[in-house]
């Protein structure tokens, strides 16, 4: 993406506007309880508070009408832990034995053979195409209501291998605070995830306070039909409607929301286009990237490992450079977050 | 669709519950101003008020939590006039001369030749495949922001041939009152239309109070790219993602909303599956069909013309029979609506 003089000027004007708003915040915010107590009093937090103050204070030049206050959040790695594997992949891997019981011929076919072997290293090394095969095999033909019930049951019982807790416990407390803070100021918060839309909708309301209609994700077609009593139901089909990654994120936002977000949050190259699209709108914008640089409390990967990694789907050096050049804000888990999980003391 | 004993029992129980709620309404509603002043005091209005009272009064057996109060409305023929042609088709026909100026070779190719002839009867007789060709030719490759601006401009200047008014004046006042009444009682109102999602989103907020993110419609893919200054934008692509008619309506509802509606409103066979899907949920449900039986104030077509018409896309005899059998409510424009348009005295 080229950087024009117009863009640089715009970034400068925004920076000045946000600086003025920061001054305003420091004068007026004293009486309010801190909406972001898990954030250290550093740049990232100040950028957030200045942005919210600027866009929601009537009379400010950057004021945004409430109907247009749309904030979009990537999920895996932005709102909760994405290592060692996306939890939805874990869910599908756990379903493989049941699928093979129904279709025994799969037992000796890759990638099902590897999954059944239980060899964790080999499973973790499966390429994306194999994971997609597993997703298709484990989900196709399921009635959507059965899928919802099964996924909910799995989420109740499955445990993350490191913390031995339900996956839904592994959300980042500072991001939960940020979503609540935005909502308290009239923002509609959306999840825009590369993960499966139906999967995330199962728990998003309970875990994040985000209703199903505000979850945009990778989505397959469904098929309408009738059961033996004539009652209509929908089943999951193998056809992909939206691959909600990379350019698919702004495309999915247009399809499902129909407005350009004012604020967007991500953590990997899959979020790049969503951040660019959000940032390219007029008026104040917030674009933030979560950097995983805390190997002790969570994980360190991407630029935190010497800023040299270039693997697609992670926080690459090129993305880091674009963030700096564009004026986006990088959130350091290590330095910006006092607490990462609500279960920490 | 088969009708089982269970369905009949369920319909009976619902009827009894709504009757009890009606009693409750007649006792408690005296103090409130009438939320539906354009409706005559007949069965359709009573069914609506009883349903809203039952589903929104804490402690009632049919109480529905606010998060689950989803109501879906077809647009063409349900919320506004659909004759002599869908207004979006009118919009595309009006764009044909500009398209032909850019691609002169189309001037002698059907269906463009017929459109350019200005022969209204011939244009009105074009089959759906020809209209689809026109839609694809007139919209493909347009940046979505250009489309929005052009469609808004067209809506400002175009006039309906019968009333000589902007199309957006031709919404049904009783349905506007119904949407406001539902929203005042915690319902989220959605448009679920066979029309183009991007087109309806241009005016839905202003005309119906429905924001873009609550408009589900027939949707094409978009493509993310950058302009010469590196600024990202989306263009319309010829690929169809969702044909939001017939079975596509519940499939679209699942994709875009992720919850089964509690109330649904339509006027043609294209709405049948949405009504069935809504009705098949547990607890109180509202399923209503607008019958065009007022040739003087609007139009009369479908079953109003002797209940014999069977053309797809209209209110057929089979749909009428299913409505009666299922316990859905048919709204007679002639008898249930005191006023049809807000511009009437």
């Amino acid at each position: 993406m080229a950087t024009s003089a117009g863009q640089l000027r715009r970034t400068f004007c925004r920076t000045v506007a946000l600086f003025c708003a920061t001054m305003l915040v420091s004068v007026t915010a004293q009486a309010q309880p801190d909406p972001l107590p898990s954030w250290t009093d550093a740049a990232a937090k100040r950028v957030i508070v200045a942005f919210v103050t600027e866009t929601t204070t009537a009379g400010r030049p950057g004021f945004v009408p409430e109907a247009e206050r749309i904030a979009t959040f990537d999920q895996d790695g932005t709102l909760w832990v994405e290592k060692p594997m996306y939890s939805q992949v874990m869910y599908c891997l756990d379903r493989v034995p049941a699928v093979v019981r129904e279709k025994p011929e799969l037992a000796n076919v890759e990638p099902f053979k590897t999954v059944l072997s239980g060899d964790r290293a080999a499973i973790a090394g499966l390429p994306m195409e194999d994971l997609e095969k597993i997703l298709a095999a484990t989900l196709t033909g399921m009635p959507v209501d059965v899928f919802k019930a099964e996924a909910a049951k799995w989420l109740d019982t499955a445990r993350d291998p490191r913390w031995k807790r339900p996956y839904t416990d592994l959300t980042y407390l500072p991001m939960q605070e940020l979503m609540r803070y935005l909502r308290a100021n009239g923002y509609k918060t959306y999840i825009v995830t590369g993960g499966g839309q139906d999967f995330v909708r199962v728990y998003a309301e309970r875990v994040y306070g985000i209703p199903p209609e505000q979850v945009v994700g990778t989505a397959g077609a469904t098929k309408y039909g009738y059961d033996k009593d004539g009652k209509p139901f929908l089943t999951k089909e193998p056809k992909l409607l939206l691959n909600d990654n990379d350019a698919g994120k702004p495309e999915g936002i247009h399809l499902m929301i129909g407005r350009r977000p004012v604020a967007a949050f991500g953590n990997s190259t899959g979020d790049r286009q969503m951040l660019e699209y959000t940032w390219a709108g007029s008026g104040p914008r917030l674009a933030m990237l979560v950097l995983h640089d805390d190997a002790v409390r969570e994980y360190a990967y991407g630029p935190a490992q010497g800023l040299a990694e270039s693997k697609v789907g992670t926080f690459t050096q090129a993305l880091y450079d674009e963030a700096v050049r564009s004026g986006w804000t990088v959130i350091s888990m290590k330095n910006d977050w006092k607490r990462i999980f609500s279960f920490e003391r």
Side-chain angles (χ1 to χ4, degrees), chain A:
Chain A
M1 194 190 126
T3 306
S4 69
Q7 276 182 306
L8 287 174
R9 195 163 53 240
R10 207 155 49 99
T11 300
F12 176 74
C13 292
R14 281 177 188 177
T15 307
V16 171
L18 283 180
F19 177 78
C20 296
T22 309
M23 294 295 98
L24 188 75
V25 170
S26 62
V27 174
T28 58
Q30 304 302 326
Q32 308 283 338
D34 183 356
L36 303 171
S38 299
W39 294 70
T40 60
D41 190 21
K45 177 174 179 171
R46 269 178 259 147
V47 166
I48 294 167
V49 175
F51 168 83
V52 170
T53 306
E54 177 69 18
T55 56
T56 63
T57 305
R60 294 285 313 156
F63 179 76
V64 175
E66 191 159 335
E68 289 165 30
R69 293 182 201 157
I70 302 284
T72 55
F73 292 83
D74 168 59
Q75 190 196 216
D76 295 301
T78 299
L79 295 180
W80 75 353
V81 175
E82 66 180 345
K83 298 284 177 190
M85 284 183 121
Y86 299 141
S87 63
Q88 187 178 5
V89 174
M90 298 296 223
Y91 164 70
C92 290
L93 295 176
D94 282 358
R95 283 206 75 234
V96 165
V99 170
V100 173
R101 265 196 302 278
E102 276 182 38
K103 293 182 189 171
E105 67 276 17
L106 294 176
N108 293 311
V109 177
E110 288 299 351
F112 302 95
K113 196 174 163 184
T114 296
V115 175
L116 291 172
S117 75
D119 178 344
R120 284 195 178 204
I123 294 168
L126 288 172
M128 191 48 75
E129 310 86 77
D130 277 349
L131 296 177
E132 280 167 8
K133 268 186 216 163
I134 293 166
L135 255 77
T138 51
L139 303 181
T140 298
M142 268 181 113
V144 298
D145 289 339
V146 172
F147 172 80
K148 275 186 205 173
E150 283 218 356
K153 198 174 144 194
W154 181 84
L155 284 160
D156 277 348
T157 51
R159 294 293 178 270
D160 169 85
R162 175 167 162 191
W163 283 277
K164 321 289 181 207
R165 288 179 167 274
Y167 290 98
T168 49
D169 278 8
L170 300 181
T171 65
Y172 305 135
L173 181 61
M175 296 305 282
Q176 292 270 18
E177 290 172 358
L178 174 55
M179 288 192 288
R180 281 194 291 268
Y181 176 49
L182 286 167
R183 290 197 291 261
N185 284 280
Y187 275 88
K188 247 184 180 172
T189 52
Y190 282 81
I191 291 175
V192 177
T193 173
Q197 182 168 279
D198 283 350
F199 184 76
V200 180
R201 282 174 170 176
V202 170
Y203 55 85
E205 192 150 36
R206 173 172 61 85
V207 172
Y208 301 115
I210 294 184
E213 60 270 27
Q214 286 167 226
V215 174
V216 179
T218 295
T222 57
K223 190 175 173 183
Y224 178 87
Y226 304 96
D227 69 12
K228 59 180 169 40
D229 299 320
K231 195 173 167 170
F233 71 115
L234 296 167
T235 44
K236 291 175 88 71
E237 291 280 290
K239 186 183 163 198
L240 185 69
L241 288 183
L242 173 67
N243 178 359
D244 199 40
N245 282 299
D246 307 311
K249 290 211 176 195
E251 292 162 5
I253 287 168
H254 177 74
L255 176 68
M256 311 278 277
I257 309 177
R259 301 187 199 259
R260 193 191 294 258
V262 186
F265 307 86
N267 80 307
S268 82
T269 55
D271 304 311
R272 183 168 73 85
Q273 290 88 340
M274 173 170 78
L275 293 167
E276 289 172 352
Y277 180 66
T278 300
W279 193 253
S282 59
R285 300 278 145 170
L286 188 58
M288 303 189 91
L289 277 162
V290 174
L291 177 66
H292 293 262
D293 59 356
D294 195 329
V296 177
R297 295 188 299 167
E298 204 245 12
Y299 294 98
Y301 53 96
Q305 296 178 307
L307 295 173
E309 181 157 1
S310 65
K311 202 174 144 197
V312 172
T314 65
F315 197 148
T316 61
Q317 183 60 45
L319 181 64
Y320 192 91
D321 294 345
E322 181 172 349
V324 171
R325 194 172 63 235
S326 303
W328 303 346
T329 303
V330 174
I331 299 166
S332 158
M333 293 182 81
K334 191 170 179 177
N335 301 319
D336 285 310
W337 291 356
K338 285 187 211 167
R339 282 172 76 188
I340 294 184
F341 302 111
S342 63
F343 57 79
E344 290 172 344
R345 269 172 308 133

